[in-house]
Amino acid sequence: MSLKALVEHPAGGYKKIFETCKELAEPIEAQVTGQVPQWLTGSLLRVGPGMFEVGDQAFHHLFDGQALIHKFDLKNGKVTYYRKFVRTDAYVRAMTENRVVITEFGTTAYPDPCKNIFSRFFTYFQGIEVTDNCLVNIYPIGEDFYACTETNYITKINPETLETLTKVDLCNYLSVNGVTAHPHIEKDGTVYNIGNCFGKNMTLAYNVVKIPPIQKGVHFFIFTLSFGITENYFVFVETPVKINLLKFLSAWAIRGTNYMDCFESNETMGTWFHLASKNPGEYKDYKFRTSAFNLFHHINCYEDQDFIVVDLCTWKGFDFVYNYLYLANLRNNWEEVKKSAIMAPQPEVRRYVLPLTVDKAKGKNLVSLTYTTAIAVLRSDGTIWLEPEVLFSGPRQAFEFPQINYNRFNGKDYMYAYGLGLNHFIPDRICKLNVKTKEIWVWQEPDSYPSEPLFVQTPGRLEEDDGVLLSIVVSPGAAQRPGYLLILNARDLTEIARAEVEVTFPVTFHGIYKT
Ligand SMILES: CCCCCCCCCCCCCCCC(=O)OC/C=C(C)/C=C/C=C(C)/C=C/C1=C(C)CCCC1(C)C
Ligand SMILES: [Fe+2]
């Protein structure tokens, strides 16, 4: 379970990934060292914030900067790089008015000070417009590609030219206020997602959304319930971090409020796991409970005998991790960055096992899978208490932004997870974890800041880890070519090739490899 000796960052090179950059007028050719595999023909598309201030106004939170799409094209061993801002309403209006116009996750937009008092009054009562700043992920729906955040807006983009095509309001099709930025895409192209909607008595509820591959338009069915997917089930984990609906609704009329202000953490509820079957779509009334954690990313989950195995990147405790992701925190000097991360919830990769048959024997461990130490115990109040098996734990060292061989192993028993190593929230290594043996592999270089590694399988190979990992790395100390696409052998994280460019990249969250 150990990592190599931890790398320190006294020079603060990570600050570069939180700096505004310019888009490119045309693709630039990268300088390749090593050999890009001939079969690796396609585009790596990634998205994240690219503009961290507008006019004299700063965006405050990691999730506020304006969406910038990056593209690396790979063909015949050659690589080019291109990037463009998405022309969202948030971006276009900010550029037009040279100020923050639409409230972002942790930055409030204020009425235009140049407007007269009457129009300011009306702007005030019109409330906040929901942001369409699609900086979190890119995914396909049918033949089309959309950039997204977690609101009701997704933005169709041209994956070749990176032009912005259309803004889609999901509320026109679905009974949701917003959907996650992490849909699951099945082999036939069916997209499943989960959205939040307003439930009874001022509560928030959840809708699972299914977008079939061929039909145009969007269908949905309700079983109020984020999420993992196995062959037959959806797994949804309800954490103690909640949106306070009253605060959210009143935020529409109260100046100075943003999304971050609407979150609250419930100190006593712990964490609840929910299950629903896929066909038919039906909520299963098990009361799975465990201690409090924050959860942003499921690694994988699968059915084994009469159990569901759920692997997660958790952050222990109910304190909201996003409170620690203000840019001022992340851009601090290294010693300060470390101090602040000590206060935050601590990361742990965990395996939970949910029994599908619960016999009446209270107090006994219901988990009979021989390969895991995860526990599930029926309690007298009818709840089933879960204790996890820890797959990876390192103090303030997160294995986050997990990836697997998704096409072949999503929802199935699997062996390998890949992730971005966060050192006190600073991304400074790429990791591979054998979830069966807990063996760890690490790629790391001094003063280098990689992104989430995407797995691409070598064509025609059957081994789960026979493929490459693609990550984009910023290495600010390298004066000439400080940014590169890194291609690693997924077997042992050795370098196959790098394609260097003369620019750096701001942080990216998620993306896809499009063949
Ligand atoms: C890559 C390195 C990053 C450096 C540090 C990262 C530390 C990370 C720790 C783990 C967290 C990882 C999270 C990454 C996932 C992600 O990308 O999340 C971004 C999520 C966003 C921007 C969510 C936005 C949600 C919004 C605006 C929701 C709005 C709504 C409500 C609050 C109420 C109901 C309505 C509506 C409008 C949907
Ligand atoms: Fe995410």
Side-chain angles (χ1 to χ4, degrees):
M1 253 206 228
S2 71
L3 291 172
K4 280 195 219 162
L6 288 181
V7 166
E8 297 280 328
H9 302 283
Y14 50 83
K15 295 178 191 178
K16 205 75 206 165
I17 61 174
F18 309 115
E19 268 180 24
T20 294
C21 74
K22 288 200 165 75
E23 59 183 19
L24 293 171
E26 54 192 31
I28 54 178
E29 196 167 327
Q31 179 89 28
V32 174
T33 50
Q35 293 257 307
V36 178
Q38 284 295 320
W39 58 264
L40 199 56
T41 298
S43 302
L44 173 69
L45 291 157
R46 297 195 57 77
V47 65
M51 183 186 284
F52 296 91
E53 60 285 310
V54 49
D56 59 3
Q57 297 179 353
F59 291 109
H60 302 302
H61 197 272
L62 177 65
F63 301 136
D64 294 347
Q66 298 303 296
L68 178 69
I69 300 190
H70 308 253
K71 175 165 75 100
F72 281 88
D73 282 326
L74 299 97
K75 197 173 179 188
N76 299 330
K78 291 205 180 327
V79 179
T80 58
Y81 170 65
Y82 187 48
R83 67 184 174 211
K84 221 170 167 49
F85 282 102
V86 186
R87 269 48 179 184
T88 57
D89 286 350
Y91 175 84
V92 172
R93 288 169 61 187
M95 296 310 282
T96 312
E97 298 187 32
N98 202 29
R99 66 185 186 92
V100 179
V101 179
I102 294 186
T103 290
E104 296 293 357
F105 199 67
T107 301
T108 311
Y110 292 95
D112 185 352
C114 303
K115 280 190 181 165
N116 67 42
I117 182 109
F118 295 107
S119 58
R120 282 176 70 179
F121 177 83
F122 283 117
T123 316
Y124 175 81
F125 276 104
Q126 271 163 10
I128 304 166
E129 286 170 86
V130 170
T131 182
D132 61 348
N133 181 17
C134 48
L135 78 166
V136 181
N137 203 357
I138 300 173
Y139 60 88
I141 302 182
E143 311 259 282
D144 301 325
F145 289 82
Y146 290 85
C148 66
T149 175
E150 303 214 338
T151 65
N152 51 309
Y153 296 118
I154 56 175
T155 305
K156 188 168 157 186
I157 53 134
N158 179 327
E160 313 296 330
T161 61
L162 304 188
E163 273 166 323
T164 304
L165 300 174
T166 34
K167 169 172 168 176
V168 173
D169 181 353
L170 294 170
C171 291
N172 293 338
Y173 306 92
L174 306 165
S175 167
V176 290
N177 304 315
V179 292
T180 81
H182 298 291
H184 281 283
I185 322 259
E186 305 233 297
K187 284 202 180 66
D188 67 354
T190 303
V191 178
Y192 285 105
N193 208 339
I194 189 156
N196 56 63
C197 60
F198 296 136
K200 284 183 205 146
N201 307 323
M202 296 295 281
T203 56
L204 264 189
Y206 301 90
N207 272 350
V208 172
V209 168
K210 178 181 180 186
I211 309 177
I214 3 179
Q215 280 135 293
K216 291 274 174 200
V218 190
H219 294 226
F220 71 97
F221 52 100
I222 301 172
F223 34 81
T224 51
L225 285 177
S226 166
F227 78 117
I229 197 164
T230 70
E231 253 158 66
N232 299 296
Y233 294 92
F234 295 105
V235 179
F236 166 70
V237 180
E238 186 179 350
T239 71
V241 180
K242 305 266 180 218
I243 298 160
N244 180 322
L245 204 55
L246 267 177
K247 278 194 195 164
F248 181 70
L249 292 173
S250 59
W252 293 83
I254 295 172
R255 268 178 66 170
T257 311
N258 55 55
Y259 300 96
M260 270 301 281
D261 299 323
C262 302
F263 286 96
E264 262 178 20
S265 220
N266 183 318
E267 297 185 16
T268 54
M269 74 164 270
T271 302
W272 300 9
F273 283 64
H274 302 278
L275 271 187
S277 57
K278 262 185 182 167
N279 293 307
E282 218 169 62
Y283 182 70
K284 301 284 175 197
D285 199 13
Y286 297 95
K287 291 186 172 51
F288 296 116
R289 303 285 184 262
T290 191
S291 52
F293 59 78
N294 287 225
L295 174 70
F296 310 106
H297 299 121
H298 284 246
I299 304 175
N300 200 3
C301 49
Y302 60 90
E303 293 159 39
D304 188 358
Q305 299 162 46
D306 213 14
F307 301 94
I308 296 188
V309 177
V310 185
D311 293 349
L312 305 171
C313 294
T314 69
W315 296 79
K316 294 181 269 186
F318 54 79
D319 186 10
F320 191 21
V321 170
Y322 285 10
N323 292 335
Y324 299 85
L325 301 183
Y326 281 92
L327 292 161
N329 266 358
L330 299 167
R331 288 175 176 142
N332 236 329
N333 292 333
W334 181 233
E335 292 307 320
E336 300 304 317
V337 164
K338 287 199 290 190
K339 263 188 222 152
S340 137
I342 287 175
M343 314 292 289
Q346 294 305 306
E348 199 155 79
V349 178
R350 291 179 170 179
R351 167 163 288 179
Y352 286 91
V353 177
L354 316 181
L356 291 169
T357 305
V358 180
D359 68 30
K360 299 273 182 291
K362 296 194 178 81
K364 248 183 36 192
N365 181 13
L366 300 168
V367 180
S368 56
L369 296 176
T370 51
Y371 55 82
T372 177
T373 56
I375 289 170
V377 176
L378 177 64
R379 297 193 299 193
S380 46
D381 61 0
T383 59
I384 304 153
W385 184 261
L386 307 172
E387 282 297 333
E389 175 181 1
V390 175
L391 300 183
F392 171 77
S393 187
R396 292 162 291 282
Q397 303 301 314
F399 178 103
E400 256 291 351
F401 296 87
Q403 292 291 317
I404 57 168
N405 180 340
Y406 186 91
N407 292 344
R408 290 196 31 231
F409 289 89
N410 186 47
K412 301 201 172 78
D413 189 358
Y414 73 118
M415 186 127 45
Y416 301 113
Y418 311 94
L420 180 63
L422 302 177
N423 178 356
H424 298 80
F425 292 122
I426 300 300
D428 73 354
R429 62 191 185 274
I430 295 170
C431 306
K432 170 179 178 177
L433 169 67
N434 180 326
V435 296
K436 296 195 185 293
T437 64
K438 302 180 189 168
E439 188 178 0
I440 284 265
W441 294 257
V442 175
W443 176 91
Q444 185 165 39
E445 284 190 2
D447 201 27
S448 300
Y449 306 98
S451 72
E452 167 193 73
L454 293 187
F455 177 85
V456 187
Q457 177 112 57
T458 312
R461 296 292 174 82
L462 295 174
E463 293 286 318
E464 183 180 334
D465 58 349
D466 201 336
V468 297
L469 294 177
L470 302 179
S471 170
I472 66 176
V473 184
V474 171
S475 175
Q480 262 212 307
R481 288 192 288 266
Y484 57 94
L485 166 70
L486 176 67
I487 305 175
L488 296 180
N489 185 336
R491 274 272 156 90
D492 54 6
L493 302 204
T494 52
E495 181 171 334
I496 295 176
R498 64 175 72 182
E500 297 170 298
V501 288
E502 280 164 13
V503 292
T504 58
F505 329 110
V507 58
T508 57
F509 300 126
H510 301 296
I512 51 167
Y513 181 72
K514 171 183 169 292
T515 46

